[in-house]
Amino acid sequence: MNEEAVKLAGEGKAAEAVAVYDKAIAASAEDGAGLAVVLTNRAVVLITLDKLDEAIADCTRAVKRDPKYEGAYQAHAKALACAGKLQQALDLLRSASKEQAFTGLNAVIAQLAAEQALETAVAKKDPARQKMNEYLNWLKQRGVDSSRVKVRM
């Protein structure tokens, strides 16, 4: 069922994907690793639907099921950041990186730290922020790791 839901989400059918994930979770034998992946995948789709509280709850549950699944931490941080909780997202990732020795989280931590610095330095409606976001999106579209971009304002 997980593969079917992934395919639906990839086709932009988020609501249908969530319904399939719901069935997969209901049918699950509550095994740690497998359920953690399904919960995380559903959370990612829920984020696209702007159902952030549900996504955060799924990620919390996924981390409890499999504390060694790095993807659950990444999705959890993304949901928190989308909910405007950048500091909480950073704290979560730093803690996971330290406790679980996840080296893959370092780039995400750097990106969130840069977003947090921008958040505090420039007002949301400031034209400079809008231009910077356009520039970072332009870099991202070209495959550039924007977490390594240093911004001086």
Side-chain angles (χ1 to χ4, degrees):
M1 275 193 248
N2 191 39
E3 295 80 14
E4 178 186 351
V6 169
K7 182 179 178 212
L8 287 167
E11 294 171 352
K13 299 175 182 176
E16 293 93 334
V18 169
V20 174
Y21 282 128
D22 291 345
K23 289 178 188 174
I25 291 166
S28 169
E30 292 290 317
D31 71 328
L35 181 59
V37 171
V38 175
L39 286 165
T40 301
N41 288 349
R42 181 172 71 175
V44 170
V45 176
L46 288 169
I47 291 167
T48 67
L49 294 171
D50 203 31
K51 295 183 177 186
L52 302 176
D53 290 337
E54 292 176 51
I56 291 168
D58 274 0
C59 292
T60 301
R61 191 172 162 201
V63 167
K64 286 181 183 175
R65 292 283 175 232
D66 186 4
K68 297 195 182 305
Y69 180 47
E70 189 172 344
Y73 293 97
Q74 290 181 358
H76 197 169
K78 182 176 182 177
L80 288 168
C82 289
K85 301 174 182 179
L86 282 174
Q87 187 59 53
Q88 197 175 343
L90 277 167
D91 292 345
L92 171 82
L93 291 176
R94 287 179 177 140
S95 174
S97 181
K98 191 176 188 180
E99 292 172 16
Q100 301 295 338
F102 292 140
T103 56
L105 296 180
N106 293 336
V108 180
I109 291 169
Q111 183 177 1
L112 283 177
E115 286 178 29
Q116 186 180 42
L118 182 62
E119 189 79 20
T120 56
V122 183
K124 287 191 179 205
K125 293 185 179 182
D126 190 304
R129 175 189 286 267
Q130 293 169 350
K131 286 290 184 188
M132 182 52 58
N133 285 334
E134 289 172 16
Y135 175 66
L136 292 174
N137 286 333
W138 180 83
L139 288 173
K140 188 176 183 179
Q141 290 170 351
R142 283 151 183 80
V144 176
D145 180 5
S146 63
S147 66
R148 296 175 185 251
V149 175
K150 295 194 181 201
V151 179
R152 292 193 176 108
M153 298 177 100

mmCIF file of all heavy atoms in Angstrom, residues 131-144 146:
data_model
loop_
_atom_site.group_PDB
_atom_site.id
_atom_site.type_symbol
_atom_site.label_atom_id
_atom_site.label_comp_id
_atom_site.label_asym_id
_atom_site.label_seq_id
_atom_site.Cartn_x
_atom_site.Cartn_y
_atom_site.Cartn_z
ATOM 1 N N LYS A 131 13.245 39.464 -2.520
ATOM 2 C CA LYS A 131 14.305 39.275 -3.521
ATOM 3 C C LYS A 131 15.231 38.131 -3.118
ATOM 4 O O LYS A 131 15.647 37.329 -3.959
ATOM 5 C CB LYS A 131 15.120 40.563 -3.710
ATOM 6 C CG LYS A 131 14.383 41.629 -4.474
ATOM 7 C CD LYS A 131 14.234 41.209 -5.910
ATOM 8 C CE LYS A 131 13.583 42.315 -6.721
ATOM 9 N NZ LYS A 131 13.254 41.890 -8.062
ATOM 10 N N MET A 132 15.575 38.064 -1.826
ATOM 11 C CA MET A 132 16.454 36.993 -1.356
ATOM 12 C C MET A 132 15.794 35.639 -1.543
ATOM 13 O O MET A 132 16.423 34.684 -1.989
ATOM 14 C CB MET A 132 16.817 37.211 0.116
ATOM 15 C CG MET A 132 17.770 36.159 0.662
ATOM 16 S SD MET A 132 19.272 35.900 -0.309
ATOM 17 C CE MET A 132 19.968 37.515 -0.302
ATOM 18 N N ASN A 133 14.502 35.534 -1.240
ATOM 19 C CA ASN A 133 13.791 34.270 -1.432
ATOM 20 C C ASN A 133 13.743 33.884 -2.905
ATOM 21 O O ASN A 133 13.902 32.707 -3.253
ATOM 22 C CB ASN A 133 12.392 34.345 -0.833
ATOM 23 C CG ASN A 133 12.410 34.271 0.668
ATOM 24 O OD1 ASN A 133 13.326 33.707 1.262
ATOM 25 N ND2 ASN A 133 11.398 34.836 1.300
ATOM 26 N N GLU A 134 13.541 34.863 -3.774
ATOM 27 C CA GLU A 134 13.560 34.589 -5.212
ATOM 28 C C GLU A 134 14.929 34.057 -5.635
ATOM 29 O O GLU A 134 15.027 33.104 -6.408
ATOM 30 C CB GLU A 134 13.228 35.860 -6.003
ATOM 31 C CG GLU A 134 11.789 36.295 -5.909
ATOM 32 C CD GLU A 134 11.541 37.664 -6.541
ATOM 33 O OE1 GLU A 134 12.409 38.150 -7.308
ATOM 34 O OE2 GLU A 134 10.474 38.242 -6.267
ATOM 35 N N TYR A 135 15.980 34.679 -5.114
ATOM 36 C CA TYR A 135 17.344 34.262 -5.445
ATOM 37 C C TYR A 135 17.619 32.844 -4.935
ATOM 38 O O TYR A 135 18.158 32.006 -5.672
ATOM 39 C CB TYR A 135 18.352 35.248 -4.850
ATOM 40 C CG TYR A 135 19.793 34.845 -5.032
ATOM 41 C CD1 TYR A 135 20.357 34.794 -6.299
ATOM 42 C CD2 TYR A 135 20.581 34.518 -3.949
ATOM 43 C CE1 TYR A 135 21.672 34.422 -6.484
ATOM 44 C CE2 TYR A 135 21.905 34.148 -4.115
ATOM 45 C CZ TYR A 135 22.444 34.105 -5.383
ATOM 46 O OH TYR A 135 23.744 33.725 -5.546
ATOM 47 N N LEU A 136 17.227 32.553 -3.704
ATOM 48 C CA LEU A 136 17.451 31.221 -3.150
ATOM 49 C C LEU A 136 16.663 30.165 -3.920
ATOM 50 O O LEU A 136 17.154 29.063 -4.166
ATOM 51 C CB LEU A 136 17.100 31.199 -1.662
ATOM 52 C CG LEU A 136 18.026 32.009 -0.749
ATOM 53 C CD1 LEU A 136 17.484 32.039 0.672
ATOM 54 C CD2 LEU A 136 19.448 31.477 -0.779
ATOM 55 N N ASN A 137 15.441 30.498 -4.324
ATOM 56 C CA ASN A 137 14.659 29.566 -5.142
ATOM 57 C C ASN A 137 15.301 29.347 -6.497
ATOM 58 O O ASN A 137 15.312 28.236 -7.019
ATOM 59 C CB ASN A 137 13.219 30.072 -5.304
ATOM 60 C CG ASN A 137 12.404 29.901 -4.050
ATOM 61 O OD1 ASN A 137 12.671 29.009 -3.249
ATOM 62 N ND2 ASN A 137 11.420 30.757 -3.865
ATOM 63 N N TRP A 138 15.858 30.418 -7.065
ATOM 64 C CA TRP A 138 16.536 30.314 -8.350
ATOM 65 C C TRP A 138 17.743 29.374 -8.227
ATOM 66 O O TRP A 138 17.964 28.518 -9.083
ATOM 67 C CB TRP A 138 16.983 31.713 -8.793
ATOM 68 C CG TRP A 138 17.702 31.775 -10.102
ATOM 69 C CD1 TRP A 138 17.139 31.810 -11.342
ATOM 70 C CD2 TRP A 138 19.122 31.809 -10.306
ATOM 71 N NE1 TRP A 138 18.120 31.863 -12.297
ATOM 72 C CE2 TRP A 138 19.348 31.868 -11.695
ATOM 73 C CE3 TRP A 138 20.208 31.799 -9.441
ATOM 74 C CZ2 TRP A 138 20.624 31.906 -12.230
ATOM 75 C CZ3 TRP A 138 21.479 31.842 -9.983
ATOM 76 C CH2 TRP A 138 21.680 31.893 -11.366
ATOM 77 N N LEU A 139 18.493 29.522 -7.143
ATOM 78 C CA LEU A 139 19.640 28.634 -6.906
ATOM 79 C C LEU A 139 19.188 27.184 -6.740
ATOM 80 O O LEU A 139 19.787 26.262 -7.309
ATOM 81 C CB LEU A 139 20.407 29.070 -5.656
ATOM 82 C CG LEU A 139 21.229 30.346 -5.765
ATOM 83 C CD1 LEU A 139 21.785 30.717 -4.405
ATOM 84 C CD2 LEU A 139 22.347 30.194 -6.783
ATOM 85 N N LYS A 140 18.127 26.992 -5.963
ATOM 86 C CA LYS A 140 17.613 25.650 -5.703
ATOM 87 C C LYS A 140 17.182 24.957 -6.997
ATOM 88 O O LYS A 140 17.441 23.780 -7.204
ATOM 89 C CB LYS A 140 16.447 25.729 -4.720
ATOM 90 C CG LYS A 140 15.959 24.404 -4.231
ATOM 91 C CD LYS A 140 14.861 24.598 -3.196
ATOM 92 C CE LYS A 140 14.399 23.287 -2.647
ATOM 93 N NZ LYS A 140 13.355 23.467 -1.640
ATOM 94 N N GLN A 141 16.541 25.712 -7.898
ATOM 95 C CA GLN A 141 16.105 25.154 -9.181
ATOM 96 C C GLN A 141 17.282 24.692 -10.025
ATOM 97 O O GLN A 141 17.139 23.822 -10.872
ATOM 98 C CB GLN A 141 15.290 26.186 -9.957
ATOM 99 C CG GLN A 141 13.945 26.479 -9.350
ATOM 100 C CD GLN A 141 13.269 27.672 -10.009
ATOM 101 O OE1 GLN A 141 13.854 28.391 -10.806
ATOM 102 N NE2 GLN A 141 12.011 27.901 -9.636
ATOM 103 N N ARG A 142 18.428 25.270 -9.772
ATOM 104 C CA ARG A 142 19.627 24.910 -10.532
ATOM 105 C C ARG A 142 20.500 23.905 -9.794
ATOM 106 O O ARG A 142 21.621 23.638 -10.184
ATOM 107 C CB ARG A 142 20.415 26.170 -10.878
ATOM 108 C CG ARG A 142 19.739 26.897 -12.041
ATOM 109 C CD ARG A 142 19.951 28.380 -12.015
ATOM 110 N NE ARG A 142 19.220 29.028 -13.100
ATOM 111 C CZ ARG A 142 17.929 29.305 -13.062
ATOM 112 N NH1 ARG A 142 17.216 28.976 -12.033
ATOM 113 N NH2 ARG A 142 17.332 29.903 -14.070
ATOM 114 N N GLY A 143 19.970 23.364 -8.697
ATOM 115 C CA GLY A 143 20.670 22.311 -7.978
ATOM 116 C C GLY A 143 21.761 22.792 -7.036
ATOM 117 O O GLY A 143 22.578 21.999 -6.576
ATOM 118 N N VAL A 144 21.769 24.084 -6.721
ATOM 119 C CA VAL A 144 22.789 24.625 -5.823
ATOM 120 C C VAL A 144 22.323 24.441 -4.382
ATOM 121 O O VAL A 144 21.173 24.705 -4.053
ATOM 122 C CB VAL A 144 23.038 26.127 -6.106
ATOM 123 C CG1 VAL A 144 24.019 26.706 -5.115
ATOM 124 C CG2 VAL A 144 23.524 26.314 -7.530
ATOM 125 N N SER A 146 21.718 25.773 -1.271
ATOM 126 C CA SER A 146 21.602 27.144 -0.771
ATOM 127 C C SER A 146 22.012 27.271 0.686
ATOM 128 O O SER A 146 22.195 28.378 1.183
ATOM 129 C CB SER A 146 20.184 27.675 -0.969
ATOM 130 O OG SER A 146 19.267 26.909 -0.228
#
